[in-house]
Amino acid sequence: MARNSQGLYYRLGTFFLLIILVGCSNFFIGNNDLASFTISPLNASILPTGTEQFSASGVFGDGSTRDISSTATWTSSNPAVATIDANGLATAVALGSTTITATDSGMKQTTTLTVSNKVVSSITISPANTTVTSGLTQQFTATATFSDNSVQTVTTSATWISSNTAAATISSSGLATGVATGTTTITATFSGVSANTTLTVQ
């Protein structure tokens, strides 16, 4: 009986030690430690004489979000196409594509920068500021205007985001579905250029 009691105490002691170690490990993930980060814009295009300012937004251990553009390390995989300085400002050199990389605290994020004679000037979303009934859908369309004034539908190529998925979700093809009464901002991004509109669910 004594031996069984010792074994039980040993297992309980080991269990509580593990809990303490886990708690300590969480404690040592400091509030000021970088947990993750994103860079923007994604998949941007610039003219041969243009520049593009990239930025990095970090999420820290306390849940706060801060700009880390000036502390991240920026590199261009093809400086013959575009260079990038320590603050994330890319400068076109020649036609082509390069991978832009930001590194911070051992973490890395990448995106593509294209130098082209034809770049996106603006994007429009239609319909604008519309309403949908909960449980039903609304198809959005994204149209891009380029630097040569040409126009192209980019609905299936754009990246779609709903700011409030509790009100409505949106698919990769721009199809929004009403979830519950509320309002959300629908954003479409193509070639580093974004546009948004409001969707109200009733």
Side-chain angles (χ1 to χ4, degrees), residues 27-173:
F27 176 79
F28 286 117
I29 299 175
N31 287 343
N32 290 321
D33 291 341
L34 183 66
S36 64
F37 76 97
T38 58
I39 59 175
S40 63
L42 296 177
N43 304 322
S45 295
I46 58 175
L47 293 169
T49 56
T51 61
E52 182 68 57
Q53 179 63 60
F54 288 90
S55 63
S57 178
V59 178
F60 291 80
D62 61 357
S64 64
T65 301
R66 297 197 290 273
D67 186 279
I68 59 169
S69 303
S70 61
T71 59
T73 300
W74 297 90
T75 59
S76 168
S77 66
N78 190 355
V81 170
T83 59
I84 191 164
D85 69 12
N87 295 311
L89 179 65
T91 302
V93 177
L95 299 178
S97 294
T98 182
T99 299
I100 299 298
T101 301
T103 305
D104 199 313
S105 301
M107 289 174 280
K108 183 183 297 184
Q109 294 290 342
T110 64
T111 188
T112 299
L113 175 64
T114 302
V115 180
S116 172
N117 287 318
K118 178 181 175 180
V119 300
V120 177
S121 301
S122 63
I123 292 178
T124 57
I125 300 175
S126 61
N129 304 325
T130 190
T131 301
V132 66
T133 301
S134 178
L136 299 183
T137 60
Q138 172 65 59
Q139 178 65 57
F140 286 95
T141 300
T143 303
T145 300
F146 292 83
S147 54
D148 61 357
N149 293 322
S150 61
V151 176
Q152 179 182 338
T153 299
V154 295
T155 304
T156 57
S157 302
T159 300
W160 294 90
I161 297 174
S162 169
S163 66
N164 182 7
T165 54
T169 59
I170 191 162
S171 72
S172 59
S173 60

Side-chain angles (χ1 to χ4, degrees), residues 1-9:
M1 180 69 178
R3 181 177 299 175
N4 290 338
S5 297
Q6 289 177 350
L8 177 61
Y9 292 144

